[in-house]
Amino acid sequence: MAAHLDDMFSFCVDPDKVAGCVEVRFIDNIKGKGLFAKRSFRKGDTIFIERPLVSAQFLWNSLYKYRACEYCLRALETAEENARRLSGVPGLSLPHPELCCVRPELHQCCPQCQVMYCSSECRQAAADQYHRVLCLGASQEDPDHPVNKLKDAWRSMHYPPETSSIMLMARMVAAVKQGQLALLHNLFKAALYDDDLSRWFVPAGFLSLFALVGTNGQGIGTSSLSQWVHACDALQLPAQQREQLDSFIDQLYKDIEKETGDFLNCEGSGLFLLQSSCNHSCVPNAEVSFPNNNFLLQLSTLSDISPGEEICISYLDCCQRERSRHSRHKILRENYLFVCSCIKCVSQTDELDVTSEEEEDDEGEAEGETEGDEAEDEMTDV
């Protein structure tokens, strides 16, 4: 049976223990801060587990009926419900349903606006942090309510796949209005240099808030189906049963790909104090995952890390990291506003600006950027 939220939070590394493992250091005025190891880590180690300061589901993701806890983003559909919707097969039955981690009997809704939570703990935590300000009550479905207008405007400007949400910023404001300034103080002070809420509503302050979310937000993905698949993979089965189960799962994913494509997860974004200090590398030594099917972030090592070594993650997926240096730089400039100077990019400095096949139409742009590459290469992570 899945652990309750309180149990999950008990897995979070104690702050004192984290302080003995990692530290945030200022690097320089261009690169800013970075996260560094204070002790040795072996490949596969968990460096820490972190709870976000604030998080929110993507608005399009919610509109497309990906049901997630309004607070911790845990998937609310059972694995079977999830598989039926994604595959378009209403009568689909999953083998080993007991392996599903979702517990509908624990779900609760806000009595005023009816938004759903995976537990009473999450409902209370949301109310304490931001929901009392943002609760729409009977106006939850009213298109003329200001918050719903805000959501609709955001969706009209940010089509899937989203990388952030206006509701993340709304929850920041609501948290401060509910007296939760201490929760956000460290991250906001580092990014905005001011705790005055009114500054967020002038153009410069609002741009700063967007920059904070855009450059520090971490995508969160949860899926009851993927949790069920992982649990199936761990089963000790006779060879014939294993083959049958694997064949069933393979066919299920083919059906889902045909019906839904790549949009499999409940998705959102969050701001994490420690993780946001991790700079990018095209050859990362650590990676982020969400193994508890909620917003708890786990940072794990991809290779051995020595004391004093910087801990870096990749802002690119595996396929993007295999593309040309020029293509990687283009993605990072457009999405994260910096040009990478990691060891891989530096080693490829003398290579021609050859674009990946997917970007052949951009070759003219590549030629125009050649002269500026030397200056850009001095820039690093924001």
Side-chain angles (χ1 to χ4, degrees):
M1 179 176 291
H4 288 208
L5 190 68
D6 284 345
D7 297 329
M8 288 296 188
F9 287 166
S10 71
F11 296 157
C12 294
V13 179
D14 182 87
D16 293 334
K17 293 181 179 178
V18 171
C21 297
V22 297
E23 65 177 341
V24 178
R25 295 184 200 164
F26 179 77
I27 300 173
D28 55 45
N29 288 327
I30 296 176
K31 196 169 184 178
K33 61 183 182 294
L35 189 68
F36 292 82
K38 294 182 71 174
R39 66 169 180 83
S40 297
F41 291 97
R42 301 296 300 274
K43 180 179 179 180
D45 283 351
T46 296
I47 301 174
F48 58 74
I49 297 175
E50 184 175 16
R51 179 178 177 176
L53 298 172
V54 63
S55 62
Q57 185 181 10
F58 292 147
L59 292 178
W60 277 107
N61 191 260
S62 175
L63 191 67
Y64 286 157
K65 307 302 181 185
Y66 289 78
R67 293 168 48 215
C69 175
E70 202 265 348
Y71 181 69
C72 79
L73 303 187
R74 182 187 297 279
L76 296 179
E77 291 177 304
T78 65
E80 191 166 83
E81 291 172 335
N82 192 216
R84 288 174 176 176
R85 179 173 59 81
L86 294 177
S87 66
V89 182
L92 178 68
S93 295
L94 295 185
H96 303 288
E98 73 281 358
L99 298 179
C100 177
C101 63
V102 176
R103 295 291 174 264
E105 68 273 13
L106 299 179
H107 296 176
Q108 293 197 3
C109 67
C110 169
Q112 282 75 44
C113 68
Q114 307 303 309
V115 298
M116 292 298 299
Y117 299 93
C118 69
S119 65
S120 59
E121 294 91 346
C122 273
R123 182 169 70 86
Q124 189 61 53
D128 292 343
Q129 185 177 331
Y130 58 80
H131 190 66
R132 288 198 299 272
V133 168
L134 293 179
C135 181
L136 303 190
S139 300
Q140 179 71 11
E141 303 299 330
D142 180 3
D144 292 325
H145 190 282
V147 172
N148 287 330
K149 282 186 168 183
L150 181 65
K151 293 179 180 180
D152 186 60
W154 178 266
R155 282 194 296 262
S156 69
M157 293 183 287
H158 296 269
Y159 291 98
E162 294 171 270
T163 57
S164 186
S165 173
I166 193 68
M167 295 311 295
L168 198 64
M169 289 173 276
R171 289 182 184 183
M172 296 178 196
V173 175
V176 174
K177 292 185 72 172
Q178 286 193 198
Q180 297 292 317
L181 183 61
L183 182 70
L184 305 170
H185 174 84
N186 291 330
L187 188 59
F188 282 2
K189 187 173 183 180
L192 303 178
Y193 306 102
D194 203 301
D195 298 326
D196 184 0
L197 181 62
S198 66
R199 291 183 178 269
W200 297 355
F201 296 94
V202 298
F206 199 58
L207 284 175
S208 296
L209 196 56
F210 265 101
L212 169 68
V213 173
T215 58
N216 292 285
Q218 167 65 48
I220 300 171
T222 64
S223 169
S224 53
L225 179 60
S226 67
Q227 291 284 303
W228 174 83
V229 170
H230 287 312
C232 286
D233 290 342
L235 287 175
Q236 300 296 318
L237 298 173
Q240 185 177 3
Q241 292 183 32
R242 168 54 61 191
E243 184 177 349
Q244 290 174 343
L245 182 57
D246 289 347
S247 178
F248 176 89
I249 292 172
D250 289 343
Q251 185 59 50
L252 174 59
Y253 275 116
K254 289 178 183 177
D255 293 341
I256 289 174
E257 184 177 7
K258 182 186 298 184
E259 178 72 17
T260 310
D262 295 329
F263 296 95
L264 302 181
N265 301 335
C266 297
E267 294 183 342
S269 63
L271 291 175
F272 296 83
L273 189 59
L274 277 176
Q275 179 274 335
S276 67
S277 299
C278 290
N279 286 315
H280 163 82
S281 172
C282 296
V283 280
N285 57 13
E287 67 177 352
V288 164
S289 64
F290 295 89
N292 295 313
N293 197 34
N294 62 4
F295 62 12
L296 292 180
L297 177 149
Q298 179 172 298
L299 186 67
S300 305
T301 59
L302 292 172
S303 60
D304 293 350
I305 298 177
S306 302
E309 185 177 349
E310 185 175 7
I311 299 171
C312 294
I313 60 176
S314 179
Y315 302 168
L316 306 174
D317 62 34
C318 293
C319 293
Q320 291 172 330
R321 293 203 296 272
E322 295 305 313
R323 294 166 73 172
S324 70
R325 173 179 174 271
H326 169 75
S327 297
R328 299 195 308 271
H329 281 199
K330 182 175 185 294
I331 296 169
L332 292 169
R333 277 198 305 270
E334 290 178 349
N335 293 282
Y336 299 100
L337 310 179
F338 74 93
V339 175
C340 183
S341 62
C342 72
I343 187 172
K344 181 176 182 177
C345 289
V346 170
S347 71
Q348 297 174 345
T349 299
D350 294 331
E351 295 183 8
L352 295 175
D353 282 332
V354 179
T355 59
S356 301
E357 291 183 4
E358 303 93 315
E359 296 183 355
E360 287 180 350
D361 293 339
D362 296 332
E363 286 182 357
E365 179 184 341
E367 293 175 2
E369 290 177 351
T370 302
E371 293 181 1
D373 276 352
E374 183 176 349
E376 287 175 339
D377 287 338
E378 296 176 1
M379 298 174 62
T380 49
D381 304 69
V382 175

